[in-house]
Amino acid sequence: MKGLMMHRPLKIADLITFAAENYPSGEIVSVRTEGDIHRTTYRETAKRVAQLAHGLKKIGVQEGDRVATLAWNGYRHFELYYGISGIGAVCHTINPRLSAEQMIYIVNHAEDRLLFVDLTFVPIIEKLREHLPAELRVVVMTDRAHMPQTSLADVLCYEEILEGEPEDIVWPDFPEDQAAGLCYTSGTTGHPKGTLYTHRSTVLHAFNMCVTIPKTLCEGTRILPVVPLFHVNAWGLPYGAPLSGASLIFPGGALDGKSIFALMDQEKVFSAWGVPTVWLGLMNEITQRGRLPDGFGDVVVGGSAAPRSLIEAFEAKGVNVCHAWGMTEMSPLGTQCNLPPELKKLPFDERLDRKQSQGRRVFGVEMKIVDDEGNKLANDGKASGHLYVRGNTVTSGYFENPEASKTVFDEDGWFCTGDVAAIDPDGFLKITDRSKDLIKSGGEWISSLDLENIVMSHPGVASCAVIAVPDPKWDERPFLIVQAKGDAQPQKEELIDLLAERVAKWQLPDEVVFVDALPLTATGKVSKLTLRKTYAEGNE
Ligand code: ADP
């Protein structure tokens, strides 16, 4: 028997309307590319979102059109998230750190009609223009006074699109599975692949994160998304924050430890979200200054595994670390590791053991691990296998890419994450590696993450990576690449001795090299692909 309740489509625009009514003074603070700090509220933002929506329609944007953004974290980018999806078009966020070739590919593949760019990125588009669709129009995200001199033809000005438009709007109705957002994964192999979010998946993701991380996402907290809005819905914050009444502090383009510290201090940021590399930078600044930024109490770290030493450094200073795991294809949140009350009482070291795991699933995401033949493995904390997920916030196929879509689902429709993991009886997930980063030596697996974690605990190491290099006898052997901290000069023997205390002899890297800086991917993670190209290929 069917229930008898109304069915109203879940729509993204309802989140900002809700925030404007319920948390009118909730703030959005942005470091602008123009150089100053801009402050606004959810109430004012809802008005500008309405103006933007009217303006977009006026310049011909229609339901289903892809409208791209190439921008830092700031209020205009936030407005675009809502204005574009609100009228039924698709907000396609582009990562400016992608290679020219990848950017050209995705703008053409997505068939973007409009492209909104921050001042900083205008030169990138000038260079790529001839390779982008001829009908693509560019809008610079600034006001008339700051419009740049540019070789681009027919350029529009963001503020002029909003100017004079009504500050309220009746949002159109459409089915809740209407496409709302598009984000391509960086694509370590082959072309980038697009995940096409729906209104339903996005709103449900916002609910899921608010109920799972309630102490951070609540009225009055101040949250700093260092994770860029061009990366996986900036982990859901542009939706979860307005839904919960938390304020957003957008850092613009300066993401070094010093700038982040200063902004957090000034804006009394409570919770900061980003990849481990950013927090290593902030921790350096904290150590140098001998204090935390004012009001700072919580850090959400994900995108790649948070080293134990990083978790320890924050926790020892009284900052709660929430280790989170997810993927572009999952909107992105899969698990989070805030500890339940009974585990918070554990001794410090045991607490760190728990926090080092990626934590428990968020509502709506199911997980399973399977062996090479697809047999389900036990959640006993020991068996490690291929991690599969399913749920309302997980992709059901890549955008216009049936070939890639074919390879990522099992017969029951679960999505293969490409991660290798164990799940313990309490539901805590421990990522062992990306499948492609595991090292197979003499038929046995070695986890690069385990080795990296140990090396990171050396005080002279800023960052490191372990990759597999081909070996005629053992198939593959681990190879360690290290970036030293400041003037420190950690020695190969010290690092091997440190590892030897914790892992079996056959797991020890054969080679250690020191580099000035580890290469990073477009999303700020250490690029093992680049390292493999440098150190592993042709090494037989
Ligand atoms: P990309 O960075 O390639 O664009 P994603 O951001 O979607 O793509 O990356 C998702 C992958 O990042 C996951 O499958 C996993 O391997 C890794 N990852 C994300 N969070 C964590 C974490 N907390 N610990 C370990 N690995 C993580």
Side-chain angles (χ1 to χ4, degrees), residues 158-476:
Y158 186 92
E159 291 301 328
E160 286 182 352
I161 292 180
L162 274 68
E163 219 168 82
E165 296 297 339
E167 291 181 344
D168 52 12
I169 187 164
V170 178
W171 293 107
D173 265 346
F174 35 70
E176 61 184 13
D177 61 354
Q178 173 106 347
L182 177 62
C183 182
Y184 284 73
T185 59
S186 338
T188 40
T189 51
H191 284 308
K193 295 172 295 219
T195 303
L196 191 59
Y197 310 102
T198 62
H199 281 260
R200 176 184 161 79
S201 69
T202 308
V203 173
L204 289 177
H205 186 268
F207 274 104
N208 294 350
M209 72 192 291
C210 289
V211 294
T212 320
I213 315 182
K215 293 210 173 87
T216 305
L217 285 152
C218 59
E219 189 171 5
T221 52
R222 297 174 73 74
I223 303 181
L224 174 86
V226 176
V227 52
L229 288 176
F230 52 74
H231 189 212
V232 212
N233 304 316
W235 295 355
L237 280 175
Y239 307 115
L243 179 61
S244 64
S247 290
L248 287 169
I249 316 299
F250 286 128
L255 305 179
D256 58 289
K258 218 183 233 357
S259 311
I260 294 287
F261 187 107
L263 181 65
M264 288 178 72
D265 208 29
Q266 178 187 315
E267 293 300 331
K268 311 277 179 285
V269 166
F270 165 67
S271 179
W273 298 42
V275 293
T277 27
V278 171
W279 305 134
L280 291 169
L282 178 68
M283 188 42 81
N284 270 344
E285 189 63 21
I286 290 172
T287 312
Q288 268 176 28
R289 297 207 195 197
R291 71 172 179 95
L292 295 171
D294 203 14
F296 183 31
D298 183 72
V299 61
V300 177
V301 51
S304 54
R308 186 187 177 91
S309 51
L310 182 71
I311 300 175
E312 184 174 357
F314 278 113
E315 289 274 337
K317 289 183 164 39
V319 176
N320 174 58
V321 177
C322 173
H323 192 194
W325 165 84
M327 321 180 59
T328 306
E329 291 89 335
M330 297 175 69
S331 304
L333 210 53
T335 63
Q336 61 83 29
C337 198
N338 273 327
L339 297 184
E342 66 274 16
L343 297 182
K344 277 193 185 142
K345 294 186 205 131
L346 289 172
F348 189 62
D349 246 23
E350 285 174 48
R351 228 168 58 217
L352 287 185
D353 290 343
R354 286 293 190 163
K355 292 227 155 184
Q356 211 186 320
S357 84
Q358 279 71 12
R360 300 201 271 199
R361 69 191 180 100
V362 298
F363 180 77
V365 172
E366 294 173 79
M367 312 187 291
K368 68 172 180 183
I369 46 170
V370 304
D371 65 16
D372 287 343
E373 282 72 48
N375 305 308
K376 196 165 177 304
L377 296 169
N379 290 358
D380 58 8
K382 296 185 195 94
S384 142
H386 305 286
L387 176 62
Y388 281 72
V389 291
R390 72 175 178 192
N392 291 313
T393 56
V394 178
T395 184
S396 62
Y398 291 109
F399 177 56
E400 303 282 349
N401 195 338
E403 285 306 302
S405 304
K406 249 191 264 159
T407 61
V408 286
F409 298 98
D410 72 7
E411 354 181 283
D412 300 321
W414 291 68
F415 173 77
C416 176
T417 64
D419 286 332
V420 179
I423 303 174
D424 79 9
D426 296 329
F428 282 80
L429 175 81
K430 182 82 205 292
I431 303 277
T432 322
D433 233 324
R434 293 290 291 164
S435 319
K436 57 183 179 296
D437 293 341
L438 267 176
I439 301 151
K440 195 161 197 185
S441 179
E444 298 285 346
W445 293 109
I446 302 175
S447 155
S448 65
L449 279 185
D450 282 352
L451 300 183
E452 288 160 10
N453 248 310
I454 300 169
V455 175
M456 284 298 288
S457 69
H458 188 287
V461 172
S463 190
C464 73
V466 174
I467 57 165
V469 293
D471 183 272
K473 183 164 173 202
W474 301 108
D475 268 348
E476 289 179 349

Side-chain angles (χ1 to χ4, degrees), residues 7 11 316 421 482:
H7 181 88
K11 283 190 308 185
V482 177

